[in-house]
Amino acid sequence: MSIDTILVFAEGDESGPSGLTLELMTAARSLATNVEAFVAGDGASMADELGAHGASKVFSTGPLEGRLIGVHAAAALQAQIEANTPDAVFFGQTPDGRDTAARLAVRIDQPVVTNNVGASFEDGVLVVEEPVFGGTQNVFTAFRNDGPALALFRPKSFEAEPTGGGSAEVVGVEAVDPGVAGSAVVTGRHAEERSGPQLDDAAVVVSGGRGLGQPEAYAMIDELAGLLGAASGASRAIVDAGWVPYAKQVGQTGKVVKPNLYVACGISGATQHLVGMKGSKNIIAINKDPEAPIFGVADLGIVGDVHKVIPALIEALRSR
Amino acid sequence: MKVIVCVKQIPDPALPGELDPSTNYLKRDDKLILDESDSYGVEMALQLVEAAGGGDVSLVSMAPNGEVGGLRTALAMGAEDAVLVSDSALAGTDALGTAKVLSAAISRMSPDLILAGVESSDGYTGTVPEMIAGALNMPSITFAKQIRVEGSTVMVQRQTEAGYDDVECPTPALVSVTAGVVEPRYPSFKGIMAAKKKHVEELDLDALGIDSSAVGKDGARQETIRVTDAEARQAGEVVEDQGDAHEKIIEFLGELKVI
Ligand SMILES: Cc1cc2nc3c(=O)[nH]c(=O)nc-3n(C[C@H](O)[C@H](O)[C@H](O)COP(=O)(O)OP(=O)(O)OC[C@H]3O[C@@H](n4cnc5c(N)ncnc54)[C@H](O)[C@@H]3O)c2cc1C
């Protein structure tokens, strides 16, 4: 027995669906006989890739530009769910994914289970897996509601794989006016300069933490990252302190990275940081405190001062 | 201006967390403290009221056993009063149930603005604020890093992957505040003394007209069927830097073919 239909809340931009969306498509495919996608926006530009990842249909609201989409997406999703009764709806653990799932949960009075990294079908119900206590334990939750199972998944929990299928059929859905609740509008967008490899898909990530001592020392991290063709990341401590932008934050409330190599410099290894990088293939940690928890997950741990070890490393790499 | 801040009282995150093996709920036996994630909302609310030149900040919280430890901290920071919903039937309540309870408590007040943390430190579902807005049929803006109120419009810098968006909506509205975006004030001695006398109204489900089947374990309609230990990552070699640690790193980078 398997699940009949899973609807995936698909996100992306002009260039197509996000990596996370394709991961969810792949997971949904392994559980359900039919997988459909819902796009709060222009579904047509995503139909090829969604189809290639197993979507039979792409439901599309059409452009929702200028609006904060959660409320609008949830209203249209509700109509969709009532018409087609999917067994589950999968969302990415993203700002819009959370907003939409939360609004939808209230509209249809069904529970949402968040932060999942796995899903299975057991005894006729969907079971989702959530890591707790910094990923030291996993909690498995079975849905006991009668209605669709609403589940949110963390990025990089599954590997995206195409099926080789063709483009999915795009089905336009009516926008539903959510009234005053939908009145939040976006009046401006500000993007930070992004150059070099991006955290999400870099093969090597070099991150710095409070152990760097002062904001200027982050230049060392950028330089080392440059020499290794790596993306630079950070702990929340230095994001909160304003040394680097939020886009660099790795961890529970930042990005989840799974590079071939993660280099943690002056980072203690708090559980909220570990959940964002513990899945890396290899980890190097540099920390002056031999008791720092980061050493518990490092393949190579250096007990030392970042201000000595990193400049020496940069020097050695430059002279190669 | 009247601002309500939703605050969660949680076990001290510095202490190791544990699940109660009989219920699989997070153990909450020790004293509860103000969730740091909510201290930013409290600070933001106090600043907004100061900027508006008047008004007050009220707190709303749901916690077991009439717990007020965390509320007192927020009252000492400068909040005026608090509503605490406490009821033994609430054990096992999920995010949606929590939103039902908090929105019912809030609907008895008439705020211009409701603030909450983006996500709690212990549960971090990141859905409760948006669910509260849904239950109250109000506009909302999540992930705020800066908030300004002009007349009956709230203007927010909303954090995004790439930077931030300017987002606005009419009040009354709910805004969830990103952690770390303001420096929460330390309660002064005077504040701490005053907080002891501030009014905390305690309500149960009856007082809110909520049926106990809508919340708690029954309302959650989900069940923890097992808890497993994750495969631990093996710690590797740890070496002390004697001035040559970089060589060790270079060697490792070579093995990984990173260089
Ligand atoms: C709800 C919630 C969500 C969170 N989400 C995240 C998240 O997404 N990402 C995240 O990173 N954190 C997150 N945190 C914060 C987390 O708990 C830690 O506070 C944070 O990760 C600590 O950052 P740090 O390791 O840089 O700083 P610290 O913990 O202060 O560690 C600094 C380390 O540097 C070492 N050090 C000092 N000087 C030197 C030196 N000269 N040379 C070498 N080492 C040195 C010290 O020994 C220490 O181990 C979250 C917390 C909460 C409550």
Side-chain angles (χ1 to χ4, degrees):
Chain A
M1 218 179 119
S2 74
I3 300 176
D4 194 26
T5 297
I6 295 178
L7 183 61
V8 172
F9 180 74
E11 297 183 62
D13 55 26
E14 316 78 54
S15 63
S18 66
L20 173 53
T21 296
L22 300 180
E23 290 158 23
L24 297 185
M25 291 297 309
T26 310
R29 224 166 64 211
S30 69
L31 293 165
T33 41
N34 180 36
V35 179
E36 298 170 344
F38 180 96
V39 179
D42 173 24
S45 62
M46 297 195 202
D48 283 355
E49 266 202 88
L50 290 172
H53 285 79
S56 60
K57 283 187 187 143
V58 175
F59 298 105
S60 165
T61 60
L64 291 173
E65 258 112 67
R67 279 169 275 185
L68 210 51
I69 73 157
V71 184
H72 298 271
L77 253 177
Q78 177 184 14
Q80 194 50 41
I81 286 169
E82 286 170 355
N84 290 346
T85 59
D87 302 284
V89 188
F90 283 7
F91 299 85
Q93 188 87 19
T94 61
D96 285 341
R98 291 201 237 193
D99 283 4
T100 306
R103 288 276 180 173
L104 178 64
V106 173
R107 294 184 81 99
I108 63 174
D109 192 21
Q110 297 294 341
V112 180
V113 183
T114 50
N115 284 303
N116 301 298
V117 297
S120 55
F121 191 62
E122 297 177 29
D123 301 326
V125 295
L126 184 73
V127 173
V128 288
E129 173 188 356
E130 179 194 353
V132 295
F133 304 136
T136 53
Q137 289 189 303
N138 296 310
V139 170
F140 292 79
T141 304
F143 283 87
R144 297 277 186 243
N145 57 321
D146 71 76
L150 309 182
L152 275 75
F153 295 88
R154 291 181 156 269
K156 301 209 167 62
S157 301
F158 312 101
E159 206 138 333
E161 271 172 46
T163 60
S167 187
E169 178 196 352
V170 179
V171 181
V173 298
E174 290 283 321
V176 177
D177 179 11
V180 65
S183 57
V185 292
V186 180
T187 57
R189 297 196 189 272
H190 307 263
E192 277 139 12
E193 198 69 47
R194 308 223 291 180
S195 58
Q198 297 303 307
L199 260 183
D200 286 315
D201 42 34
V204 181
V205 173
V206 181
S207 284
R210 184 144 47 202
L212 293 172
Q214 51 194 20
E216 294 71 33
Y218 193 81
M220 264 185 341
I221 299 297
D222 275 330
E223 188 171 5
L224 179 56
L227 287 163
L228 296 175
S232 57
S235 71
R236 184 167 124 183
I238 70 168
V239 172
D240 283 0
W243 298 6
V244 294
Y246 167 71
K248 289 199 185 293
Q249 183 174 318
V250 172
Q252 181 181 306
T253 37
K255 294 216 164 71
V256 177
V257 298
K258 287 192 178 174
N260 179 33
L261 173 65
Y262 188 87
V263 188
C265 309
I267 292 177
S268 61
T271 55
Q272 297 92 349
H273 188 78
L274 295 184
V275 293
M277 45 65 77
K278 235 173 54 164
S280 306
K281 267 214 193 78
N282 300 283
I283 298 172
I284 299 177
I286 308 168
N287 194 304
K288 69 173 186 192
D289 173 10
E291 302 296 325
I294 192 75
F295 288 130
V297 299
D299 301 284
L300 174 62
I302 305 292
V303 179
D305 186 340
V306 286
H307 299 287
K308 296 202 178 108
V309 179
I310 299 177
L313 181 58
I314 288 172
E315 192 54 46
L317 286 168
R318 271 217 211 103
S319 61
R320 279 167 57 90
Chain B
M1 184 163 65
K2 180 156 185 68
V3 185
I4 292 179
V5 189
C6 303
V7 298
K8 189 171 182 184
Q9 305 177 82
I10 63 168
D12 189 342
L15 306 170
E18 209 183 324
L19 298 177
D20 181 332
S22 62
T23 58
N24 282 323
Y25 302 151
L26 185 65
K27 277 197 182 170
R28 298 168 157 276
D29 308 337
D30 292 328
K31 200 172 130 16
L32 302 182
I33 62 170
L34 176 66
D35 187 346
E36 187 207 292
S37 302
D38 291 326
S39 61
Y40 305 103
V42 175
E43 177 61 37
M44 198 76 104
L46 293 169
Q47 289 185 12
L48 285 169
V49 164
E50 282 155 19
D56 57 78
V57 175
S58 297
L59 310 169
V60 174
S61 186
M62 173 180 124
N65 311 322
E67 179 66 57
V68 293
L71 286 176
R72 292 284 173 217
T73 305
L75 290 169
M77 286 171 71
E80 201 56 38
D81 50 22
V83 173
L84 173 71
V85 186
S86 203
D87 196 309
S88 56
L90 286 169
T93 299
D94 71 341
L96 183 58
T98 304
K100 287 177 182 172
V101 168
L102 294 177
S103 59
I106 292 167
S107 66
R108 301 160 77 248
M109 304 143 102
S110 22
D112 299 297
L113 196 62
I114 304 164
L115 300 186
V118 163
E119 59 184 5
S120 65
S121 303
D122 61 342
Y124 49 89
T125 74
T127 53
V128 173
E130 189 69 11
M131 286 171 173
I132 293 173
L136 294 169
N137 194 31
M138 250 183 211
S140 59
I141 304 173
T142 46
F143 293 90
K145 43 188 266 173
Q146 205 190 84
I147 306 176
R148 215 151 43 87
V149 178
E150 266 178 36
S152 56
T153 303
V154 55
M155 281 166 260
V156 168
Q157 287 185 1
R158 181 183 194 245
Q159 188 168 279
T160 61
E161 284 283 293
Y164 68 92
D165 288 348
D166 299 309
V167 186
E168 57 182 63
C169 71
T171 57
L174 177 142
V175 179
S176 76
V177 180
T178 304
V181 296
V182 280
E183 189 67 48
R185 64 195 68 184
Y186 280 107
S188 63
F189 178 70
K190 225 172 107 196
I192 294 168
M193 296 313 286
K196 294 185 177 163
K197 297 199 196 75
K198 288 180 175 169
H199 183 53
V200 179
E201 184 186 11
E202 196 177 320
L203 301 172
D204 59 12
L205 288 175
D206 273 351
L208 291 174
I210 293 178
D211 192 294
S212 61
S213 67
V215 294
K217 188 176 183 309
D218 291 343
R221 293 165 286 167
Q222 57 196 265
E223 185 191 351
T224 300
I225 54 170
R226 60 180 178 274
V227 179
T228 61
D229 287 331
E231 215 177 296
R233 219 193 139 94
Q234 290 300 322
E237 188 188 2
V238 178
V239 294
E240 192 150 341
D241 178 34
Q242 310 284 359
D244 56 357
H246 58 281
E247 290 167 16
K248 194 89 199 164
I249 296 175
I250 297 267
E251 197 182 305
F252 190 61
L253 293 174
E255 279 168 34
L256 299 180
K257 303 207 167 29
V258 168
I259 50 173

